[in-house]
Amino acid sequence: MAEQSTQTDELTSRERIKRALSHGKAGRISKDTSNKVMLGVFRAAAYITTLVLVAIIAYVVINGLPHISPDFIFGWPEGVNAEGGIWPTIVSTIYVTALAMLICTPIAVLAAVYLAEYAKQGRLVNIIRYAADALASVPSIVMGLFGYALFVEAMGLGLSMLSAAMSLALLMLPIVMRTTEEAIRAVPRYIRWGAYGLGATKWQVVSKIVLPSAFGRIATGIVLAIGRAIGETAVVLYTMGQAINMPITPLDSGRPMTVHLYLLANDGINMNAAYGTALLLMIIILAFNLFSRYLSRRSR
């Protein structure tokens, strides 16, 4: 009796499993239908993203283009309402970005060369990479407060181009470093082996074979980092100041385009100049992005 009840229970459980499987097959959506549904979702997401970008660009262009003129680009802000041009802010933006690039690029490239070519892969290298990734995720306002505490106050550099450039260099460092490391690793190994076979030293291989081969991707990373630095506001707000000056030395203060745009829009002083500044800033960042794409395609 016990054996018969056990067999009956097994048959009952098997029938239940078969019924569940048959029910699942009956209620399952076909592959073609699921593919079409997901393809529609992906297309909708792509169209929405493109539509939002086009809407933002069109809004800024429509409101800012009527106010763009040679006097606006090469003139100085005048009066309480900041009428006139924004030439000092353009110079300050280019000045601080170029100085940050000069500080960041050698450190980031040399660090990437060490990690990719010289360092023994292990815990220390993983910690360095994790630190670089963590540095890239730090909010810009936190980096601005850190730059103010370290460079402006502790080091006594004051609100200056140098303080802002060193703070921006910290933001640019992980981007250039990780991009350079990936570019170096993308260089085929057989090129290195051929150079070693001809009697080249490690440094000769790195300096004359690897880095020239990876130059296109390295330059792309540098240009992308420059584009991010140009668009930062909080970092330069706390480290450069708001004075409308024409900077000469790295210890001079200034007002970049992002801070000028923030002050104009936040206080409602001159919205026409704010839209014009936003359009010029967008054009500069777009130019850097297009240049990076050109370098990337050329390197391929």
Side-chain angles (χ1 to χ4, degrees):
M1 295 294 292
E3 292 180 356
Q4 291 180 356
S5 62
T6 303
Q7 292 177 357
T8 304
D9 293 339
E10 290 180 355
L11 292 174
T12 305
S13 62
R14 288 178 183 177
E15 292 178 355
R16 289 177 180 175
I17 294 173
K18 289 181 180 180
R19 290 177 182 177
L21 291 176
S22 62
H23 180 73
K25 290 180 180 179
R28 186 181 300 171
I29 301 176
S30 64
K31 292 182 179 180
D32 294 337
T33 304
S34 61
N35 288 335
K36 290 180 181 179
V37 171
M38 294 310 301
L39 182 60
V41 173
F42 295 150
R43 282 180 177 175
Y47 292 155
I48 291 173
T49 303
T50 306
L51 181 62
V52 172
L53 177 62
V54 171
I56 293 174
I57 294 176
Y59 180 79
V60 175
V61 170
I62 292 173
N63 289 278
L65 189 60
H67 309 291
I68 300 296
S69 65
D71 293 335
F72 180 76
I73 297 175
F74 298 103
W76 283 62
E78 299 175 355
V80 179
N81 295 328
E83 299 177 353
I86 59 170
W87 178 244
T89 64
I90 297 176
V91 174
S92 298
T93 301
I94 298 175
Y95 195 134
V96 72
T97 305
L99 191 59
M101 183 191 67
L102 292 176
I103 296 172
C104 168
T105 302
I107 300 174
V109 172
L110 292 177
V113 170
Y114 170 74
L115 293 178
E117 295 291 334
Y118 289 94
K120 183 179 180 181
Q121 302 302 315
R123 182 176 299 178
L124 178 60
V125 174
N126 292 332
I127 291 175
I128 295 174
R129 290 197 181 101
Y130 178 77
D133 294 337
L135 184 62
S137 62
V138 173
S140 59
I141 190 169
V142 175
M143 190 63 68
L145 291 173
F146 174 78
Y148 177 82
L150 178 61
F151 304 123
V152 177
E153 294 292 336
M155 297 180 63
L157 298 177
L159 298 174
S160 62
M161 293 288 164
L162 186 58
S163 299
M166 295 176 72
S167 300
L168 287 175
L170 294 178
L171 281 179
M172 298 168 62
L173 183 64
I175 301 175
V176 180
M177 177 180 166
R178 297 294 284 165
T179 305
T180 302
E181 184 181 359
E182 294 299 327
I184 291 174
R185 292 184 177 277
V187 177
R189 289 288 180 182
Y190 62 82
I191 297 180
R192 297 177 173 86
W193 297 338
Y196 288 136
L198 295 174
T201 63
K202 181 73 172 180
W203 173 243
Q204 288 175 336
V205 172
V206 171
S207 62
K208 300 193 176 175
I209 302 296
V210 176
L211 288 179
S213 300
F215 174 77
R217 295 185 179 182
I218 296 174
T220 301
I222 294 173
V223 172
L224 289 175
I226 291 174
R228 180 186 176 183
I230 290 178
E232 289 294 336
T233 304
V235 176
V236 291
L237 178 64
Y238 287 108
T239 55
M240 187 190 298
Q242 305 176 14
I244 302 179
N245 296 329
M246 182 66 72
I248 303 299
T249 67
L251 296 178
D252 291 339
S253 179
R255 177 188 292 186
M257 297 176 66
T258 52
V259 174
H260 187 66
L261 172 61
Y262 167 74
L263 295 176
L264 291 178
N266 187 52
D267 298 335
I269 299 174
N270 190 343
M271 293 305 298
N272 294 333
Y275 284 121
T277 305
L279 179 58
L280 286 178
L281 186 62
M282 185 180 297
I283 291 173
I284 293 174
I285 296 176
L286 179 62
F288 274 104
N289 289 332
L290 292 177
F291 185 61
S292 67
R293 290 177 62 87
Y294 166 76
L295 291 177
S296 179
R297 291 181 179 178
R298 186 176 180 182
S299 65
R300 293 177 185 176

mmCIF file of all heavy atoms in Angstrom, residues 49-81:
data_model
loop_
_atom_site.group_PDB
_atom_site.id
_atom_site.type_symbol
_atom_site.label_atom_id
_atom_site.label_comp_id
_atom_site.label_asym_id
_atom_site.label_seq_id
_atom_site.Cartn_x
_atom_site.Cartn_y
_atom_site.Cartn_z
ATOM 1 N N THR A 49 15.696 60.565 -26.667
ATOM 2 C CA THR A 49 16.988 61.182 -26.358
ATOM 3 C C THR A 49 17.365 62.221 -27.403
ATOM 4 O O THR A 49 17.792 63.338 -27.079
ATOM 5 C CB THR A 49 18.072 60.099 -26.271
ATOM 6 O OG1 THR A 49 17.698 59.125 -25.295
ATOM 7 C CG2 THR A 49 19.407 60.710 -25.892
ATOM 8 N N THR A 50 17.220 61.851 -28.678
ATOM 9 C CA THR A 50 17.553 62.786 -29.752
ATOM 10 C C THR A 50 16.643 64.005 -29.725
ATOM 11 O O THR A 50 17.089 65.141 -29.941
ATOM 12 C CB THR A 50 17.449 62.078 -31.110
ATOM 13 O OG1 THR A 50 18.256 60.897 -31.104
ATOM 14 C CG2 THR A 50 17.908 62.995 -32.226
ATOM 15 N N LEU A 51 15.343 63.780 -29.459
ATOM 16 C CA LEU A 51 14.387 64.883 -29.425
ATOM 17 C C LEU A 51 14.716 65.866 -28.306
ATOM 18 O O LEU A 51 14.648 67.089 -28.501
ATOM 19 C CB LEU A 51 12.972 64.337 -29.259
ATOM 20 C CG LEU A 51 11.838 65.372 -29.240
ATOM 21 C CD1 LEU A 51 11.788 66.109 -30.567
ATOM 22 C CD2 LEU A 51 10.510 64.685 -28.957
ATOM 23 N N VAL A 52 15.085 65.348 -27.137
ATOM 24 C CA VAL A 52 15.449 66.234 -26.016
ATOM 25 C C VAL A 52 16.673 67.057 -26.369
ATOM 26 O O VAL A 52 16.725 68.277 -26.112
ATOM 27 C CB VAL A 52 15.689 65.394 -24.750
ATOM 28 C CG1 VAL A 52 16.267 66.266 -23.641
ATOM 29 C CG2 VAL A 52 14.387 64.761 -24.272
ATOM 30 N N LEU A 53 17.693 66.416 -26.965
ATOM 31 C CA LEU A 53 18.905 67.144 -27.358
ATOM 32 C C LEU A 53 18.596 68.228 -28.386
ATOM 33 O O LEU A 53 19.056 69.370 -28.262
ATOM 34 C CB LEU A 53 19.938 66.163 -27.907
ATOM 35 C CG LEU A 53 21.235 66.781 -28.435
ATOM 36 C CD1 LEU A 53 21.981 67.504 -27.322
ATOM 37 C CD2 LEU A 53 22.119 65.709 -29.059
ATOM 38 N N VAL A 54 17.805 67.869 -29.396
ATOM 39 C CA VAL A 54 17.452 68.849 -30.428
ATOM 40 C C VAL A 54 16.643 69.993 -29.825
ATOM 41 O O VAL A 54 16.839 71.171 -30.187
ATOM 42 C CB VAL A 54 16.676 68.154 -31.560
ATOM 43 C CG1 VAL A 54 16.116 69.183 -32.539
ATOM 44 C CG2 VAL A 54 17.575 67.177 -32.296
ATOM 45 N N ALA A 55 15.752 69.697 -28.897
ATOM 46 C CA ALA A 55 14.941 70.743 -28.270
ATOM 47 C C ALA A 55 15.804 71.717 -27.474
ATOM 48 O O ALA A 55 15.610 72.936 -27.544
ATOM 49 C CB ALA A 55 13.884 70.106 -27.373
ATOM 50 N N ILE A 56 16.782 71.181 -26.728
ATOM 51 C CA ILE A 56 17.654 72.053 -25.942
ATOM 52 C C ILE A 56 18.488 72.947 -26.856
ATOM 53 O O ILE A 56 18.598 74.166 -26.646
ATOM 54 C CB ILE A 56 18.559 71.204 -25.030
ATOM 55 C CG1 ILE A 56 17.722 70.495 -23.966
ATOM 56 C CG2 ILE A 56 19.617 72.073 -24.372
ATOM 57 C CD1 ILE A 56 18.508 69.522 -23.113
ATOM 58 N N ILE A 57 19.073 72.329 -27.893
ATOM 59 C CA ILE A 57 19.907 73.103 -28.813
ATOM 60 C C ILE A 57 19.071 74.160 -29.530
ATOM 61 O O ILE A 57 19.488 75.319 -29.668
ATOM 62 C CB ILE A 57 20.593 72.168 -29.816
ATOM 63 C CG1 ILE A 57 21.585 71.259 -29.093
ATOM 64 C CG2 ILE A 57 21.314 72.969 -30.896
ATOM 65 C CD1 ILE A 57 22.252 70.235 -29.996
ATOM 66 N N ALA A 58 17.881 73.776 -29.987
ATOM 67 C CA ALA A 58 17.028 74.733 -30.696
ATOM 68 C C ALA A 58 16.605 75.880 -29.788
ATOM 69 O O ALA A 58 16.587 77.053 -30.217
ATOM 70 C CB ALA A 58 15.799 74.012 -31.247
ATOM 71 N N TYR A 59 16.299 75.582 -28.542
ATOM 72 C CA TYR A 59 15.887 76.627 -27.600
ATOM 73 C C TYR A 59 17.012 77.637 -27.381
ATOM 74 O O TYR A 59 16.788 78.854 -27.402
ATOM 75 C CB TYR A 59 15.474 75.991 -26.282
ATOM 76 C CG TYR A 59 15.037 76.975 -25.229
ATOM 77 C CD1 TYR A 59 13.769 77.538 -25.267
ATOM 78 C CD2 TYR A 59 15.890 77.360 -24.201
ATOM 79 C CE1 TYR A 59 13.356 78.454 -24.304
ATOM 80 C CE2 TYR A 59 15.494 78.271 -23.233
ATOM 81 C CZ TYR A 59 14.225 78.806 -23.292
ATOM 82 O OH TYR A 59 13.830 79.722 -22.341
ATOM 83 N N VAL A 60 18.229 77.133 -27.181
ATOM 84 C CA VAL A 60 19.362 78.033 -26.949
ATOM 85 C C VAL A 60 19.688 78.820 -28.214
ATOM 86 O O VAL A 60 19.977 80.020 -28.154
ATOM 87 C CB VAL A 60 20.584 77.229 -26.466
ATOM 88 C CG1 VAL A 60 21.802 78.136 -26.329
ATOM 89 C CG2 VAL A 60 20.292 76.560 -25.130
ATOM 90 N N VAL A 61 19.636 78.161 -29.370
ATOM 91 C CA VAL A 61 19.955 78.847 -30.627
ATOM 92 C C VAL A 61 18.930 79.936 -30.928
ATOM 93 O O VAL A 61 19.282 81.067 -31.312
ATOM 94 C CB VAL A 61 20.024 77.833 -31.782
ATOM 95 C CG1 VAL A 61 20.111 78.551 -33.125
ATOM 96 C CG2 VAL A 61 21.226 76.920 -31.610
ATOM 97 N N ILE A 62 17.653 79.639 -30.762
ATOM 98 C CA ILE A 62 16.607 80.619 -31.062
ATOM 99 C C ILE A 62 16.725 81.845 -30.156
ATOM 100 O O ILE A 62 16.546 82.992 -30.612
ATOM 101 C CB ILE A 62 15.215 79.967 -30.923
ATOM 102 C CG1 ILE A 62 15.014 78.926 -32.024
ATOM 103 C CG2 ILE A 62 14.113 81.021 -30.979
ATOM 104 C CD1 ILE A 62 13.745 78.118 -31.881
ATOM 105 N N ASN A 63 17.026 81.631 -28.893
ATOM 106 C CA ASN A 63 17.110 82.755 -27.964
ATOM 107 C C ASN A 63 18.469 83.444 -27.976
ATOM 108 O O ASN A 63 18.558 84.622 -27.608
ATOM 109 C CB ASN A 63 16.818 82.267 -26.537
ATOM 110 C CG ASN A 63 15.365 81.897 -26.333
ATOM 111 O OD1 ASN A 63 14.513 82.745 -26.089
ATOM 112 N ND2 ASN A 63 15.069 80.606 -26.454
ATOM 113 N N GLY A 64 19.523 82.737 -28.352
ATOM 114 C CA GLY A 64 20.852 83.332 -28.273
ATOM 115 C C GLY A 64 21.401 83.869 -29.571
ATOM 116 O O GLY A 64 22.215 84.808 -29.561
ATOM 117 N N LEU A 65 20.973 83.306 -30.707
ATOM 118 C CA LEU A 65 21.540 83.720 -31.991
ATOM 119 C C LEU A 65 21.303 85.193 -32.314
ATOM 120 O O LEU A 65 22.206 85.857 -32.845
ATOM 121 C CB LEU A 65 20.976 82.826 -33.105
ATOM 122 C CG LEU A 65 21.616 82.986 -34.485
ATOM 123 C CD1 LEU A 65 23.103 82.672 -34.423
ATOM 124 C CD2 LEU A 65 20.920 82.087 -35.499
ATOM 125 N N PRO A 66 20.133 85.776 -32.025
ATOM 126 C CA PRO A 66 19.951 87.201 -32.342
ATOM 127 C C PRO A 66 20.896 88.132 -31.590
ATOM 128 O O PRO A 66 21.068 89.291 -31.998
ATOM 129 C CB PRO A 66 18.487 87.464 -31.943
ATOM 130 C CG PRO A 66 17.827 86.131 -31.993
ATOM 131 C CD PRO A 66 18.876 85.170 -31.545
ATOM 132 N N HIS A 67 21.514 87.674 -30.518
ATOM 133 C CA HIS A 67 22.362 88.542 -29.705
ATOM 134 C C HIS A 67 23.861 88.315 -29.959
ATOM 135 O O HIS A 67 24.687 88.952 -29.328
ATOM 136 C CB HIS A 67 22.058 88.315 -28.220
ATOM 137 C CG HIS A 67 20.603 88.386 -27.884
ATOM 138 N ND1 HIS A 67 19.873 89.555 -27.938
ATOM 139 C CD2 HIS A 67 19.720 87.410 -27.525
ATOM 140 C CE1 HIS A 67 18.615 89.310 -27.607
ATOM 141 N NE2 HIS A 67 18.499 88.023 -27.361
ATOM 142 N N ILE A 68 24.183 87.423 -30.879
ATOM 143 C CA ILE A 68 25.579 87.156 -31.207
ATOM 144 C C ILE A 68 26.030 88.166 -32.261
ATOM 145 O O ILE A 68 25.412 88.298 -33.315
ATOM 146 C CB ILE A 68 25.765 85.716 -31.732
ATOM 147 C CG1 ILE A 68 25.336 84.711 -30.678
ATOM 148 C CG2 ILE A 68 27.216 85.479 -32.129
ATOM 149 C CD1 ILE A 68 26.161 84.725 -29.433
ATOM 150 N N SER A 69 27.097 88.854 -31.960
ATOM 151 C CA SER A 69 27.658 89.847 -32.871
ATOM 152 C C SER A 69 29.128 90.031 -32.531
ATOM 153 O O SER A 69 29.582 89.611 -31.459
ATOM 154 C CB SER A 69 26.902 91.178 -32.758
ATOM 155 O OG SER A 69 27.087 91.734 -31.468
ATOM 156 N N PRO A 70 29.910 90.644 -33.421
ATOM 157 C CA PRO A 70 31.325 90.908 -33.084
ATOM 158 C C PRO A 70 31.488 91.756 -31.826
ATOM 159 O O PRO A 70 32.432 91.542 -31.052
ATOM 160 C CB PRO A 70 31.847 91.630 -34.333
ATOM 161 C CG PRO A 70 30.975 91.141 -35.439
ATOM 162 C CD PRO A 70 29.622 90.954 -34.838
ATOM 163 N N ASP A 71 30.587 92.709 -31.621
ATOM 164 C CA ASP A 71 30.671 93.523 -30.407
ATOM 165 C C ASP A 71 30.412 92.680 -29.159
ATOM 166 O O ASP A 71 31.026 92.914 -28.111
ATOM 167 C CB ASP A 71 29.659 94.670 -30.474
ATOM 168 C CG ASP A 71 30.002 95.678 -31.567
ATOM 169 O OD1 ASP A 71 31.201 95.766 -31.921
ATOM 170 O OD2 ASP A 71 29.090 96.356 -32.057
ATOM 171 N N PHE A 72 29.514 91.720 -29.278
ATOM 172 C CA PHE A 72 29.221 90.867 -28.131
ATOM 173 C C PHE A 72 30.393 89.934 -27.833
ATOM 174 O O PHE A 72 30.703 89.666 -26.666
ATOM 175 C CB PHE A 72 27.956 90.049 -28.408
ATOM 176 C CG PHE A 72 27.570 89.129 -27.291
ATOM 177 C CD1 PHE A 72 26.968 89.616 -26.137
ATOM 178 C CD2 PHE A 72 27.806 87.768 -27.384
ATOM 179 C CE1 PHE A 72 26.612 88.761 -25.102
ATOM 180 C CE2 PHE A 72 27.451 86.908 -26.357
ATOM 181 C CZ PHE A 72 26.853 87.410 -25.211
ATOM 182 N N ILE A 73 31.040 89.429 -28.856
ATOM 183 C CA ILE A 73 32.136 88.481 -28.654
ATOM 184 C C ILE A 73 33.395 89.191 -28.169
ATOM 185 O O ILE A 73 34.071 88.717 -27.241
ATOM 186 C CB ILE A 73 32.416 87.712 -29.960
ATOM 187 C CG1 ILE A 73 31.190 86.869 -30.348
ATOM 188 C CG2 ILE A 73 33.651 86.813 -29.812
ATOM 189 C CD1 ILE A 73 31.321 86.175 -31.689
ATOM 190 N N PHE A 74 33.724 90.321 -28.752
ATOM 191 C CA PHE A 74 34.996 90.982 -28.455
ATOM 192 C C PHE A 74 34.855 92.196 -27.542
ATOM 193 O O PHE A 74 35.842 92.882 -27.281
ATOM 194 C CB PHE A 74 35.673 91.419 -29.765
ATOM 195 C CG PHE A 74 36.007 90.268 -30.679
ATOM 196 C CD1 PHE A 74 35.219 90.006 -31.790
ATOM 197 C CD2 PHE A 74 37.088 89.447 -30.412
ATOM 198 C CE1 PHE A 74 35.522 88.955 -32.641
ATOM 199 C CE2 PHE A 74 37.394 88.390 -31.253
ATOM 200 C CZ PHE A 74 36.608 88.141 -32.367
ATOM 201 N N GLY A 75 33.644 92.461 -27.056
ATOM 202 C CA GLY A 75 33.455 93.600 -26.167
ATOM 203 C C GLY A 75 33.595 93.225 -24.705
ATOM 204 O O GLY A 75 33.755 92.061 -24.339
ATOM 205 N N TRP A 76 33.522 94.238 -23.840
ATOM 206 C CA TRP A 76 33.621 94.050 -22.387
ATOM 207 C C TRP A 76 32.244 94.272 -21.770
ATOM 208 O O TRP A 76 31.471 95.112 -22.239
ATOM 209 C CB TRP A 76 34.623 95.042 -21.788
ATOM 210 C CG TRP A 76 36.053 94.659 -22.003
ATOM 211 C CD1 TRP A 76 36.694 94.527 -23.197
ATOM 212 C CD2 TRP A 76 37.010 94.361 -20.999
ATOM 213 N NE1 TRP A 76 37.995 94.175 -23.005
ATOM 214 C CE2 TRP A 76 38.231 94.060 -21.664
ATOM 215 C CE3 TRP A 76 36.974 94.312 -19.610
ATOM 216 C CZ2 TRP A 76 39.380 93.723 -20.976
ATOM 217 C CZ3 TRP A 76 38.123 93.985 -18.930
ATOM 218 C CH2 TRP A 76 39.321 93.685 -19.602
ATOM 219 N N PRO A 77 31.930 93.560 -20.697
ATOM 220 C CA PRO A 77 30.673 93.843 -19.985
ATOM 221 C C PRO A 77 30.691 95.251 -19.399
ATOM 222 O O PRO A 77 31.709 95.703 -18.868
ATOM 223 C CB PRO A 77 30.645 92.780 -18.878
ATOM 224 C CG PRO A 77 31.567 91.710 -19.338
ATOM 225 C CD PRO A 77 32.640 92.404 -20.134
ATOM 226 N N GLU A 78 29.570 95.928 -19.492
ATOM 227 C CA GLU A 78 29.488 97.312 -19.028
ATOM 228 C C GLU A 78 28.234 97.500 -18.174
ATOM 229 O O GLU A 78 27.181 96.931 -18.467
ATOM 230 C CB GLU A 78 29.431 98.273 -20.221
ATOM 231 C CG GLU A 78 30.649 98.213 -21.118
ATOM 232 C CD GLU A 78 30.484 99.102 -22.342
ATOM 233 O OE1 GLU A 78 29.375 99.661 -22.502
ATOM 234 O OE2 GLU A 78 31.433 99.229 -23.124
ATOM 235 N N GLY A 79 28.348 98.311 -17.133
ATOM 236 C CA GLY A 79 27.205 98.693 -16.320
ATOM 237 C C GLY A 79 26.747 97.594 -15.379
ATOM 238 O O GLY A 79 27.289 96.484 -15.306
ATOM 239 N N VAL A 80 25.700 97.943 -14.635
ATOM 240 C CA VAL A 80 25.146 97.019 -13.649
ATOM 241 C C VAL A 80 24.480 95.822 -14.325
ATOM 242 O O VAL A 80 24.512 94.701 -13.808
ATOM 243 C CB VAL A 80 24.133 97.762 -12.755
ATOM 244 C CG1 VAL A 80 23.521 96.807 -11.729
ATOM 245 C CG2 VAL A 80 24.796 98.937 -12.065
ATOM 246 N N ASN A 81 23.897 96.026 -15.492
ATOM 247 C CA ASN A 81 23.195 94.960 -16.197
ATOM 248 C C ASN A 81 24.107 94.117 -17.082
ATOM 249 O O ASN A 81 23.614 93.311 -17.877
ATOM 250 C CB ASN A 81 22.072 95.549 -17.055
ATOM 251 C CG ASN A 81 20.998 96.195 -16.219
ATOM 252 O OD1 ASN A 81 20.731 95.762 -15.096
ATOM 253 N ND2 ASN A 81 20.393 97.252 -16.744
#
